[in-house]
Amino acid sequence: MIGLPALEADLARQLTLIGHGGADWTRPRAHPDGHVHDVVIIGGGQSGLAVAFGLLRERVSNILVIDENPAGYEGPWDTYARMITLRTPKGLNPIDFGVPALSFRAWYEAQHGTEGWDALDKIPRGDWMAYLRWYRRVLALPVRNDAKLDLIEPLEQGLYRLHIAGQAPLLARKVVLATGIQGGGEWHVPPMIADALPRALYAHTSEPIDYAALAGKRIGILGGGASAFDNANAALESGVAAVDVFLRRKVLPRINPIRHMERVGFTGRYPALADADKYAVMAAFLGHNQPPTNDIFARASAKPGFALHLGAPWLSVAAEDDKVRVTTPHGEHVFDFVVLSTGLVSDSSLRPELRLVAGKIARWVDRYTPPVGQANALIDAHPYLGTGFELLPRDPADAPYLHGLFAFNYAALVSLGLSASALSGLRTALPRVVKGITDQLFLDDREALVADLLAYDEAEFVCEWPPAQDATA
Protein backbone atom coordinates (compact mmCIF):
# COMPACT_ATOMS: atom_id res chain seq x y z
CA MET A 1 0.00 0.00 0.00
CA ILE A 2 1.28 3.46 -0.84
CA GLY A 3 -1.03 5.64 1.25
CA LEU A 4 -3.37 8.38 0.10
CA PRO A 5 -0.78 11.22 -0.06
CA ALA A 6 1.25 9.27 -2.62
CA LEU A 7 -1.90 8.40 -4.58
CA GLU A 8 -2.95 12.05 -4.62
CA ALA A 9 0.45 13.08 -5.96
CA ASP A 10 0.11 10.47 -8.69
CA LEU A 11 -3.41 11.70 -9.47
CA ALA A 12 -2.18 15.28 -9.83
CA ARG A 13 0.44 14.11 -12.33
CA GLN A 14 -2.10 12.04 -14.29
CA LEU A 15 -4.46 15.00 -14.53
CA THR A 16 -1.58 17.07 -15.90
CA LEU A 17 -0.70 14.37 -18.43
CA ILE A 18 -4.25 14.30 -19.82
CA GLY A 19 -4.38 18.09 -20.09
CA HIS A 20 -6.98 18.63 -17.39
CA GLY A 21 -7.84 22.27 -16.78
CA GLY A 22 -7.28 25.38 -18.82
CA ALA A 23 -9.21 28.52 -19.66
CA ASP A 24 -12.97 28.33 -20.20
CA TRP A 25 -14.32 28.75 -23.71
CA THR A 26 -17.86 29.64 -22.66
CA ARG A 27 -19.17 33.20 -22.95
CA PRO A 28 -19.90 34.96 -19.65
CA ARG A 29 -23.45 36.18 -19.17
CA ALA A 30 -24.35 39.40 -17.34
CA HIS A 31 -27.60 39.89 -15.45
CA PRO A 32 -28.76 42.67 -13.12
CA ASP A 33 -29.73 40.12 -10.47
CA GLY A 34 -26.22 38.74 -10.09
CA HIS A 35 -23.73 36.16 -11.30
CA VAL A 36 -24.89 33.74 -13.99
CA HIS A 37 -23.50 30.23 -13.71
CA ASP A 38 -23.02 28.26 -16.88
CA VAL A 39 -24.22 25.14 -15.06
CA VAL A 40 -25.77 24.49 -11.66
CA ILE A 41 -25.96 20.82 -10.69
CA ILE A 42 -28.66 19.86 -8.21
CA GLY A 43 -27.36 17.04 -6.03
CA GLY A 44 -23.87 16.43 -4.67
CA GLY A 45 -23.89 12.65 -4.64
CA GLN A 46 -21.93 10.41 -6.99
CA SER A 47 -23.74 11.60 -10.13
CA GLY A 48 -23.52 15.30 -9.34
CA LEU A 49 -19.85 15.15 -8.40
CA ALA A 50 -18.98 13.19 -11.51
CA VAL A 51 -20.90 15.55 -13.82
CA ALA A 52 -18.99 18.44 -12.27
CA PHE A 53 -15.64 16.75 -12.93
CA GLY A 54 -16.73 15.91 -16.48
CA LEU A 55 -17.55 19.57 -17.14
CA LEU A 56 -14.21 20.70 -15.71
CA ARG A 57 -12.48 18.28 -18.08
CA GLU A 58 -14.28 20.08 -20.93
CA ARG A 59 -13.04 23.47 -19.64
CA VAL A 60 -16.40 24.56 -18.28
CA SER A 61 -15.60 25.77 -14.76
CA ASN A 62 -18.29 28.40 -14.15
CA ILE A 63 -20.32 25.76 -12.36
CA LEU A 64 -21.78 25.04 -8.93
CA VAL A 65 -23.07 21.88 -7.24
CA ILE A 66 -25.69 22.33 -4.54
CA ASP A 67 -26.97 19.71 -2.11
CA GLU A 68 -29.58 19.96 0.61
CA ASN A 69 -27.63 17.75 3.03
CA PRO A 70 -24.70 18.61 5.30
CA ALA A 71 -21.23 18.10 3.84
CA GLY A 72 -20.29 14.43 3.68
CA TYR A 73 -23.88 13.17 3.84
CA GLU A 74 -24.93 13.60 0.24
CA GLY A 75 -26.85 10.73 -1.36
CA PRO A 76 -28.16 7.66 0.45
CA TRP A 77 -25.00 6.01 1.70
CA ASP A 78 -24.79 7.51 5.20
CA THR A 79 -28.44 8.54 5.43
CA TYR A 80 -31.09 5.97 4.57
CA ALA A 81 -29.18 3.20 2.77
CA ARG A 82 -28.90 0.15 5.05
CA MET A 83 -27.15 -2.43 2.89
CA ILE A 84 -23.85 -3.67 4.26
CA THR A 85 -22.16 -3.65 0.86
CA LEU A 86 -22.95 -2.26 -2.56
CA ARG A 87 -24.74 -4.75 -4.79
CA THR A 88 -22.70 -4.00 -7.91
CA PRO A 89 -19.45 -5.81 -8.83
CA LYS A 90 -16.41 -4.21 -7.23
CA GLY A 91 -14.54 -3.89 -10.54
CA LEU A 92 -16.85 -1.32 -12.12
CA ASN A 93 -15.27 2.06 -12.85
CA PRO A 94 -18.26 4.38 -12.81
CA ILE A 95 -16.95 7.89 -12.10
CA ASP A 96 -13.20 7.99 -12.72
CA PHE A 97 -13.42 8.93 -16.44
CA GLY A 98 -10.59 6.52 -17.18
CA VAL A 99 -8.10 8.27 -14.88
CA PRO A 100 -6.44 5.32 -13.08
CA ALA A 101 -5.47 7.14 -9.86
CA LEU A 102 -9.05 8.40 -9.47
CA SER A 103 -10.61 4.92 -9.46
CA PHE A 104 -12.09 3.31 -6.38
CA ARG A 105 -9.63 0.45 -6.74
CA ALA A 106 -6.64 2.82 -6.63
CA TRP A 107 -8.12 4.55 -3.56
CA TYR A 108 -8.74 1.22 -1.82
CA GLU A 109 -5.36 -0.32 -2.68
CA ALA A 110 -3.56 2.81 -1.50
CA GLN A 111 -4.89 2.02 1.97
CA HIS A 112 -5.22 -1.78 1.96
CA GLY A 113 -2.79 -3.01 -0.69
CA THR A 114 -3.42 -5.38 -3.57
CA GLU A 115 -3.98 -8.21 -1.10
CA GLY A 116 -6.79 -6.24 0.48
CA TRP A 117 -8.37 -5.63 -2.91
CA ASP A 118 -8.11 -9.31 -3.85
CA ALA A 119 -9.79 -10.29 -0.59
CA LEU A 120 -12.63 -7.82 -1.08
CA ASP A 121 -15.91 -9.37 -2.26
CA LYS A 122 -18.15 -6.33 -2.61
CA ILE A 123 -17.54 -2.68 -1.78
CA PRO A 124 -18.61 -1.85 1.80
CA ARG A 125 -21.18 0.93 1.82
CA GLY A 126 -19.14 3.06 4.21
CA ASP A 127 -16.03 2.75 2.05
CA TRP A 128 -17.94 3.94 -1.00
CA MET A 129 -19.10 7.06 0.84
CA ALA A 130 -15.55 7.68 2.10
CA TYR A 131 -14.32 7.41 -1.49
CA LEU A 132 -16.90 9.97 -2.64
CA ARG A 133 -15.78 12.39 0.06
CA TRP A 134 -12.16 11.93 -1.08
CA TYR A 135 -13.18 12.34 -4.74
CA ARG A 136 -14.80 15.69 -3.97
CA ARG A 137 -11.80 16.88 -1.96
CA VAL A 138 -8.95 15.91 -4.28
CA LEU A 139 -10.73 17.33 -7.34
CA ALA A 140 -11.63 20.55 -5.47
CA LEU A 141 -15.18 20.38 -6.78
CA PRO A 142 -17.35 23.46 -6.14
CA VAL A 143 -20.10 22.15 -3.84
CA ARG A 144 -22.42 24.18 -1.61
CA ASN A 145 -24.13 22.13 1.09
CA ASP A 146 -27.27 22.87 3.12
CA ALA A 147 -28.83 24.37 -0.01
CA LYS A 148 -32.25 22.96 -0.84
CA LEU A 149 -33.77 23.78 -4.22
CA ASP A 150 -37.38 24.88 -3.90
CA LEU A 151 -38.25 26.02 -7.42
CA ILE A 152 -36.85 26.30 -10.94
CA GLU A 153 -38.18 29.49 -12.53
CA PRO A 154 -37.63 30.06 -16.27
CA LEU A 155 -36.70 33.70 -16.90
CA GLU A 156 -36.02 33.60 -20.64
CA GLN A 157 -34.83 30.96 -23.06
CA GLY A 158 -31.70 29.45 -21.59
CA LEU A 159 -31.77 31.25 -18.22
CA TYR A 160 -33.24 30.04 -14.94
CA ARG A 161 -33.64 31.47 -11.47
CA LEU A 162 -33.17 28.78 -8.84
CA HIS A 163 -35.00 29.51 -5.60
CA ILE A 164 -33.07 28.11 -2.62
CA ALA A 165 -34.76 27.67 0.75
CA GLY A 166 -33.67 30.46 3.10
CA GLN A 167 -30.96 31.72 0.74
CA ALA A 168 -30.54 34.11 -2.15
CA PRO A 169 -31.56 32.64 -5.53
CA LEU A 170 -29.05 31.48 -8.11
CA LEU A 171 -28.99 32.15 -11.85
CA ALA A 172 -28.00 29.41 -14.29
CA ARG A 173 -27.94 28.79 -18.01
CA LYS A 174 -28.09 25.02 -17.55
CA VAL A 175 -29.59 23.06 -14.67
CA VAL A 176 -28.75 19.40 -14.14
CA LEU A 177 -31.05 17.40 -11.87
CA ALA A 178 -28.57 14.89 -10.46
CA THR A 179 -31.07 14.00 -7.78
CA GLY A 180 -30.79 10.24 -7.57
CA ILE A 181 -33.42 7.55 -7.46
CA GLN A 182 -36.20 9.67 -5.98
CA GLY A 183 -35.33 12.80 -7.98
CA GLY A 184 -37.63 12.00 -10.87
CA GLY A 185 -40.76 11.45 -8.80
CA GLU A 186 -41.36 10.18 -5.28
CA TRP A 187 -41.10 7.10 -3.14
CA HIS A 188 -44.34 5.16 -3.34
CA VAL A 189 -46.54 4.85 -0.27
CA PRO A 190 -49.69 2.87 -1.08
CA PRO A 191 -52.87 4.81 -0.28
CA MET A 192 -53.98 1.80 1.77
CA ILE A 193 -51.18 2.73 4.19
CA ALA A 194 -51.23 6.51 3.97
CA ASP A 195 -55.01 6.71 4.42
CA ALA A 196 -55.21 4.27 7.32
CA LEU A 197 -52.22 4.87 9.55
CA PRO A 198 -50.89 7.85 11.49
CA ARG A 199 -47.46 8.90 10.32
CA ALA A 200 -45.83 7.77 13.56
CA LEU A 201 -46.62 4.12 12.82
CA TYR A 202 -44.92 3.67 9.45
CA ALA A 203 -41.93 4.70 7.36
CA HIS A 204 -40.61 4.06 3.87
CA THR A 205 -37.22 2.41 3.54
CA SER A 206 -35.99 5.66 1.97
CA GLU A 207 -36.45 7.52 5.27
CA PRO A 208 -34.36 7.71 8.42
CA ILE A 209 -35.64 5.07 10.83
CA ASP A 210 -34.46 4.86 14.44
CA TYR A 211 -34.46 1.09 14.79
CA ALA A 212 -32.72 1.33 18.17
CA ALA A 213 -35.80 3.10 19.50
CA LEU A 214 -37.82 0.06 18.37
CA ALA A 215 -35.70 -2.40 20.34
CA GLY A 216 -37.83 -5.22 21.72
CA LYS A 217 -40.67 -4.38 19.34
CA ARG A 218 -42.17 -6.27 16.43
CA ILE A 219 -42.18 -4.71 12.95
CA GLY A 220 -43.65 -5.73 9.61
CA ILE A 221 -42.01 -4.99 6.25
CA LEU A 222 -44.07 -4.83 3.08
CA GLY A 223 -42.17 -5.76 -0.09
CA GLY A 224 -39.59 -8.31 -1.11
CA GLY A 225 -36.93 -6.31 -2.92
CA ALA A 226 -33.36 -5.88 -1.76
CA SER A 227 -34.14 -2.95 0.53
CA ALA A 228 -36.62 -5.06 2.52
CA PHE A 229 -33.88 -7.45 3.59
CA ASP A 230 -31.38 -4.63 4.16
CA ASN A 231 -33.86 -3.15 6.61
CA ALA A 232 -34.64 -6.48 8.21
CA ASN A 233 -30.94 -6.89 8.98
CA ALA A 234 -30.58 -3.34 10.26
CA ALA A 235 -33.63 -3.74 12.51
CA LEU A 236 -32.66 -7.06 14.02
CA GLU A 237 -29.07 -5.92 14.58
CA SER A 238 -30.43 -2.87 16.42
CA GLY A 239 -32.38 -4.96 18.90
CA VAL A 240 -35.79 -5.23 17.25
CA ALA A 241 -37.32 -8.43 18.60
CA ALA A 242 -39.11 -9.67 15.48
CA VAL A 243 -39.24 -8.72 11.80
CA ASP A 244 -41.82 -10.19 9.42
CA VAL A 245 -41.28 -9.61 5.68
CA PHE A 246 -44.32 -9.95 3.41
CA LEU A 247 -44.28 -10.59 -0.34
CA ARG A 248 -47.20 -10.54 -2.73
CA ARG A 249 -45.33 -13.03 -4.91
CA LYS A 250 -45.30 -16.70 -4.04
CA VAL A 251 -41.56 -17.01 -4.70
CA LEU A 252 -38.64 -14.74 -3.90
CA PRO A 253 -37.27 -12.64 -6.76
CA ARG A 254 -34.25 -14.46 -8.16
CA ILE A 255 -33.33 -12.74 -11.42
CA ASN A 256 -31.40 -9.48 -11.52
CA PRO A 257 -31.45 -8.26 -15.15
CA ILE A 258 -28.79 -5.66 -14.33
CA ARG A 259 -26.17 -8.41 -14.25
CA HIS A 260 -27.08 -9.42 -17.82
CA MET A 261 -27.09 -5.79 -18.96
CA GLU A 262 -23.58 -5.33 -17.58
CA ARG A 263 -22.26 -8.31 -19.52
CA VAL A 264 -23.73 -7.71 -22.97
CA GLY A 265 -23.37 -3.97 -23.43
CA PHE A 266 -26.90 -2.85 -22.58
CA THR A 267 -25.65 -0.28 -20.09
CA GLY A 268 -23.81 1.64 -22.79
CA ARG A 269 -25.67 0.85 -25.98
CA TYR A 270 -29.27 0.95 -24.77
CA PRO A 271 -29.83 4.54 -26.01
CA ALA A 272 -29.32 3.31 -29.60
CA LEU A 273 -32.46 1.14 -29.44
CA ALA A 274 -35.69 2.13 -31.14
CA ASP A 275 -38.54 3.25 -28.88
CA ALA A 276 -40.41 -0.04 -29.34
CA ASP A 277 -37.39 -2.00 -28.14
CA LYS A 278 -36.84 0.34 -25.20
CA TYR A 279 -40.46 -0.06 -24.16
CA ALA A 280 -40.27 -3.86 -24.31
CA VAL A 281 -36.96 -3.98 -22.44
CA MET A 282 -38.18 -1.71 -19.66
CA ALA A 283 -41.47 -3.54 -19.30
CA ALA A 284 -39.46 -6.69 -18.62
CA PHE A 285 -36.96 -4.86 -16.41
CA LEU A 286 -39.64 -3.29 -14.21
CA GLY A 287 -41.31 -6.67 -13.89
CA HIS A 288 -38.39 -7.84 -11.76
CA ASN A 289 -37.86 -6.76 -8.18
CA GLN A 290 -34.15 -6.43 -7.51
CA PRO A 291 -33.38 -9.49 -5.36
CA PRO A 292 -31.29 -9.28 -2.21
CA THR A 293 -27.73 -10.46 -2.45
CA ASN A 294 -27.28 -14.01 -1.25
CA ASP A 295 -25.15 -12.99 1.71
CA ILE A 296 -27.66 -10.38 2.88
CA PHE A 297 -30.57 -12.82 2.67
CA ALA A 298 -28.61 -15.54 4.45
CA ARG A 299 -27.63 -13.10 7.18
CA ALA A 300 -31.23 -11.99 7.75
CA SER A 301 -32.84 -15.41 7.55
CA ALA A 302 -30.39 -16.87 10.08
CA LYS A 303 -31.36 -14.38 12.76
CA PRO A 304 -33.83 -15.30 15.51
CA GLY A 305 -36.96 -13.23 15.08
CA PHE A 306 -36.90 -13.19 11.26
CA ALA A 307 -39.95 -14.50 9.39
CA LEU A 308 -40.78 -14.49 5.69
CA HIS A 309 -44.35 -14.66 4.34
CA LEU A 310 -44.69 -15.55 0.65
CA GLY A 311 -47.89 -15.06 -1.31
CA ALA A 312 -49.07 -12.76 1.46
CA PRO A 313 -50.16 -9.35 0.17
CA TRP A 314 -51.55 -6.91 2.70
CA LEU A 315 -55.29 -6.77 2.16
CA SER A 316 -55.91 -4.10 4.79
CA VAL A 317 -54.20 -2.24 7.59
CA ALA A 318 -55.66 -0.50 10.62
CA ALA A 319 -54.34 1.43 13.59
CA GLU A 320 -55.43 -0.03 16.93
CA ASP A 321 -54.12 1.18 20.31
CA ASP A 322 -50.86 2.57 18.83
CA LYS A 323 -50.26 -0.65 16.94
CA VAL A 324 -50.83 -1.76 13.36
CA ARG A 325 -53.14 -4.65 12.49
CA VAL A 326 -52.32 -6.17 9.11
CA THR A 327 -54.67 -8.56 7.35
CA THR A 328 -53.31 -11.01 4.75
CA PRO A 329 -54.97 -13.95 2.96
CA HIS A 330 -53.44 -16.18 5.64
CA GLY A 331 -54.48 -14.32 8.74
CA GLU A 332 -53.84 -11.23 10.83
CA HIS A 333 -50.66 -9.83 12.39
CA VAL A 334 -50.16 -7.03 14.92
CA PHE A 335 -47.03 -4.87 14.75
CA ASP A 336 -45.61 -1.96 16.69
CA PHE A 337 -44.37 -0.36 13.46
CA VAL A 338 -44.40 -1.11 9.74
CA VAL A 339 -41.82 -0.36 7.03
CA LEU A 340 -42.58 -0.03 3.33
CA SER A 341 -40.21 -1.38 0.70
CA THR A 342 -42.61 -0.36 -2.06
CA GLY A 343 -40.34 1.36 -4.57
CA LEU A 344 -40.93 4.64 -6.32
CA VAL A 345 -42.88 6.35 -9.08
CA SER A 346 -41.12 8.45 -11.74
CA ASP A 347 -43.35 11.35 -12.75
CA SER A 348 -42.19 14.96 -13.20
CA SER A 349 -45.54 16.28 -11.95
CA LEU A 350 -44.65 14.94 -8.49
CA ARG A 351 -41.55 17.13 -8.20
CA PRO A 352 -42.27 20.45 -6.43
CA GLU A 353 -39.20 22.16 -7.90
CA LEU A 354 -40.59 21.50 -11.42
CA ARG A 355 -44.10 22.75 -10.75
CA LEU A 356 -43.78 25.70 -13.18
CA VAL A 357 -42.71 23.48 -16.09
CA ALA A 358 -43.89 19.92 -15.33
CA GLY A 359 -46.97 20.20 -17.56
CA LYS A 360 -44.79 21.17 -20.51
CA ILE A 361 -42.45 18.15 -20.28
CA ALA A 362 -42.92 15.39 -22.86
CA ARG A 363 -43.60 11.99 -21.36
CA TRP A 364 -43.41 8.57 -22.96
CA VAL A 365 -47.20 8.47 -23.22
CA ASP A 366 -46.95 11.57 -25.45
CA ARG A 367 -44.36 10.12 -27.85
CA TYR A 368 -44.92 6.37 -28.13
CA THR A 369 -47.98 4.13 -28.37
CA PRO A 370 -47.26 0.49 -27.49
CA PRO A 371 -49.11 -2.44 -29.06
CA VAL A 372 -52.63 -3.04 -27.80
CA GLY A 373 -52.63 -4.60 -24.36
CA GLN A 374 -48.98 -3.78 -23.61
CA ALA A 375 -49.34 -0.29 -22.14
CA ASN A 376 -47.44 0.19 -18.89
CA ALA A 377 -48.44 3.16 -16.75
CA LEU A 378 -45.07 3.21 -14.94
CA ILE A 379 -43.21 3.60 -18.24
CA ASP A 380 -45.71 6.06 -19.71
CA ALA A 381 -45.20 8.53 -16.84
CA HIS A 382 -41.43 8.80 -17.40
CA PRO A 383 -40.14 11.89 -19.21
CA TYR A 384 -39.19 11.35 -22.84
CA LEU A 385 -35.61 12.66 -22.91
CA GLY A 386 -33.25 13.72 -25.66
CA THR A 387 -29.97 11.92 -26.32
CA GLY A 388 -28.06 14.15 -23.88
CA PHE A 389 -30.55 13.75 -21.00
CA GLU A 390 -32.25 17.03 -21.90
CA LEU A 391 -35.94 17.49 -21.11
CA LEU A 392 -38.05 17.87 -24.24
CA PRO A 393 -41.30 19.81 -24.67
CA ARG A 394 -44.69 18.19 -25.11
CA ASP A 395 -45.61 21.11 -27.39
CA PRO A 396 -42.84 22.69 -29.55
CA ALA A 397 -44.06 26.11 -28.46
CA ASP A 398 -42.93 25.30 -24.92
CA ALA A 399 -39.32 24.58 -25.90
CA PRO A 400 -37.98 27.89 -24.45
CA TYR A 401 -39.22 26.92 -20.98
CA LEU A 402 -37.21 23.68 -20.96
CA HIS A 403 -34.09 24.54 -22.95
CA GLY A 404 -31.23 23.98 -20.52
CA LEU A 405 -32.88 21.47 -18.15
CA PHE A 406 -31.30 18.01 -17.87
CA ALA A 407 -32.70 15.03 -15.94
CA PHE A 408 -29.66 13.05 -14.86
CA ASN A 409 -31.58 10.97 -12.34
CA TYR A 410 -33.66 7.80 -12.23
CA ALA A 411 -36.32 9.39 -14.43
CA ALA A 412 -33.91 8.81 -17.35
CA LEU A 413 -34.34 5.04 -17.02
CA VAL A 414 -36.76 4.47 -19.91
CA SER A 415 -35.19 6.92 -22.38
CA LEU A 416 -31.52 6.20 -21.70
CA GLY A 417 -31.38 3.02 -19.65
CA LEU A 418 -29.32 2.25 -16.56
CA SER A 419 -27.50 5.51 -16.46
CA ALA A 420 -27.85 8.31 -13.99
CA SER A 421 -28.79 6.38 -10.84
CA ALA A 422 -27.10 3.04 -11.38
CA LEU A 423 -23.39 2.57 -10.83
CA SER A 424 -23.47 0.05 -13.66
CA GLY A 425 -24.46 2.73 -16.16
CA LEU A 426 -22.56 5.80 -15.02
CA ARG A 427 -19.35 5.06 -16.94
CA THR A 428 -21.07 5.44 -20.30
CA ALA A 429 -23.80 7.87 -19.23
CA LEU A 430 -21.47 10.56 -17.89
CA PRO A 431 -19.77 11.37 -21.22
CA ARG A 432 -23.22 11.50 -22.82
CA VAL A 433 -24.66 14.04 -20.39
CA VAL A 434 -21.48 16.14 -20.39
CA LYS A 435 -21.61 16.25 -24.20
CA GLY A 436 -25.29 17.18 -24.08
CA ILE A 437 -24.63 20.09 -21.73
CA THR A 438 -21.53 21.41 -23.48
CA ASP A 439 -23.06 21.07 -26.95
CA GLN A 440 -25.98 23.23 -25.79
CA LEU A 441 -23.63 25.82 -24.31
CA PHE A 442 -21.69 25.95 -27.57
CA LEU A 443 -24.73 26.11 -29.85
CA ASP A 444 -26.38 28.78 -27.71
CA ASP A 445 -23.36 31.00 -28.43
CA ARG A 446 -22.71 29.79 -31.96
CA GLU A 447 -23.29 33.16 -33.64
CA ALA A 448 -20.68 34.91 -31.51
CA LEU A 449 -18.28 31.97 -31.60
CA VAL A 450 -18.49 31.67 -35.38
CA ALA A 451 -18.14 35.43 -35.82
CA ASP A 452 -15.04 35.41 -33.65
CA LEU A 453 -13.55 32.62 -35.71
CA LEU A 454 -14.26 34.40 -38.98
CA ALA A 455 -12.63 37.57 -37.63
CA TYR A 456 -9.65 35.79 -36.08
CA ASP A 457 -6.38 37.15 -37.49
CA GLU A 458 -3.70 36.38 -34.89
CA ALA A 459 -0.56 35.38 -36.77
CA GLU A 460 0.99 32.11 -35.63
CA PHE A 461 3.53 31.68 -38.43
CA VAL A 462 6.03 34.57 -38.37
CA CYS A 463 8.91 33.27 -40.50
CA GLU A 464 9.83 34.98 -43.82
CA TRP A 465 11.16 33.96 -47.22
CA PRO A 466 13.72 34.64 -48.25
CA PRO A 467 15.19 34.71 -44.75
CA ALA A 468 16.26 38.10 -43.56
CA GLN A 469 20.01 38.70 -43.91
CA ASP A 470 21.93 38.70 -40.69
CA ALA A 471 22.82 42.33 -40.10
CA THR A 472 26.25 41.33 -38.76
CA ALA A 473 27.17 39.20 -41.77
Side-chain angles (χ1 to χ4, degrees):
M1 64 190 74
I2 63 172
L4 287 180
L7 176 64
E8 290 167 17
D10 191 27
L11 173 60
R13 180 173 184 274
Q14 290 181 15
L15 292 175
T16 299
L17 289 174
I18 65 172
H20 179 65
D24 280 16
W25 53 265
T26 56
R27 292 302 189 91
R29 288 286 197 277
H31 194 276
D33 290 346
H35 179 75
V36 178
H37 295 86
D38 285 330
V39 186
V40 171
I41 300 163
I42 314 302
Q46 59 201 22
S47 294
L49 296 179
V51 170
F53 178 52
L55 290 170
L56 293 174
R57 293 187 71 212
E58 294 297 321
R59 295 191 294 117
V60 177
S61 65
N62 179 24
I63 65 175
L64 179 66
V65 182
I66 66 172
D67 194 280
E68 66 186 26
N69 298 295
Y73 292 89
E74 304 84 3
W77 308 114
D78 260 355
T79 52
Y80 65 81
R82 298 180 182 93
M83 71 280 286
I84 297 168
T85 66
L86 274 59
R87 303 181 187 113
T88 46
K90 69 177 183 179
L92 292 175
N93 293 82
I95 61 174
D96 56 46
F97 286 87
V99 180
L102 192 58
S103 65
F104 176 83
R105 178 172 180 171
W107 177 85
Y108 194 85
E109 286 187 348
Q111 300 165 92
H112 305 284
T114 55
E115 298 84 359
W117 175 259
D118 292 340
L120 187 67
D121 178 28
K122 297 184 183 71
I123 297 173
R125 172 170 54 86
D127 282 346
W128 182 252
M129 188 65 225
Y131 166 69
L132 293 178
R133 293 175 181 133
W134 175 81
Y135 183 101
R136 168 181 170 174
R137 177 178 64 80
V138 295
L139 295 174
L141 299 176
V143 183
R144 180 191 296 179
N145 286 94
D146 301 305
K148 178 178 173 54
L149 174 67
D150 277 346
L151 180 68
I152 299 174
E153 177 191 1
L155 295 182
E156 57 194 61
Q157 178 163 331
L159 185 63
Y160 296 92
R161 178 181 285 119
L162 307 181
H163 296 262
I164 312 299
Q167 301 180 25
L170 301 170
L171 297 175
R173 296 175 62 188
K174 309 297 172 191
V175 181
V176 183
L177 298 168
T179 42
I181 292 180
Q182 74 277 19
E186 67 181 15
W187 295 105
H188 178 56
V189 176
M192 173 184 69
I193 304 292
D195 295 343
L197 300 181
R199 198 63 182 84
L201 289 179
Y202 74 90
H204 196 279
T205 55
S206 64
E207 297 176 287
I209 303 173
D210 186 359
Y211 282 121
L214 295 168
K217 305 291 187 180
R218 185 184 182 199
I219 70 170
I221 299 180
L222 175 62
S227 67
F229 296 95
D230 293 335
N231 278 264
N233 268 311
L236 291 167
E237 290 171 4
S238 297
V240 171
V243 175
D244 291 60
V245 177
F246 294 81
L247 275 74
R248 171 177 46 84
R249 304 175 188 224
K250 295 182 179 180
V251 295
L252 281 166
R254 296 188 178 277
I255 298 170
N256 186 350
I258 296 176
R259 298 290 88 86
H260 181 72
M261 291 177 166
E262 291 165 350
R263 290 196 299 266
V264 301
F266 257 90
T267 49
R269 308 282 78 81
Y270 173 93
L273 292 173
D275 284 355
D277 291 327
K278 290 180 179 180
Y279 204 96
V281 166
M282 282 303 151
F285 179 83
L286 295 172
H288 294 282
N289 274 3
Q290 186 176 17
T293 57
N294 292 302
D295 56 323
I296 291 298
F297 178 78
R299 184 170 180 154
S301 60
K303 287 182 169 64
F306 175 84
L308 179 63
H309 305 267
L310 299 172
W314 289 6
L315 302 178
S316 66
V317 297
E320 297 180 2
D321 300 323
D322 293 327
K323 295 185 182 296
V324 180
R325 182 176 297 277
V326 173
T327 302
T328 79
H330 310 296
E332 293 186 339
H333 304 263
V334 176
F335 299 107
D336 297 289
F337 192 78
V338 295
V339 176
L340 310 176
S341 177
T342 45
L344 73 153
V345 176
S346 291
D347 185 338
S348 301
S349 67
L350 299 174
R351 299 304 309 171
E353 68 272 15
L354 293 175
R355 59 186 179 272
L356 296 182
V357 298
K360 305 177 189 302
I361 296 171
R363 299 175 299 162
W364 267 77
V365 72
D366 302 314
R367 297 295 182 92
Y368 177 73
T369 302
V372 175
Q374 296 182 25
N376 185 310
L378 291 176
I379 295 176
D380 291 342
H382 281 70
Y384 188 96
L385 302 180
T387 58
F389 292 86
E390 67 271 28
L391 291 170
L392 298 176
R394 184 178 296 178
D395 184 327
D398 290 330
Y401 296 96
L402 302 176
H403 181 77
L405 298 182
F406 295 80
F408 198 63
N409 54 34
Y410 202 71
L413 176 68
V414 178
S415 294
L416 295 160
L418 289 175
S419 50
S421 290
L423 286 172
S424 301
L426 277 174
R427 184 178 67 85
T428 52
L430 284 164
R432 181 180 291 275
V433 71
V434 169
K435 182 179 187 300
I437 298 164
T438 53
D439 279 358
Q440 269 200 17
L441 287 168
F442 182 83
L443 292 175
D444 288 350
D445 290 339
R446 63 189 180 278
E447 291 184 8
L449 291 167
V450 169
D452 282 354
L453 177 63
L454 296 179
Y456 179 73
D457 62 357
E458 181 181 326
E460 178 176 346
F461 179 73
V462 296
C463 297
E464 296 181 1
W465 184 261
Q469 293 298 314
D470 189 335
T472 63

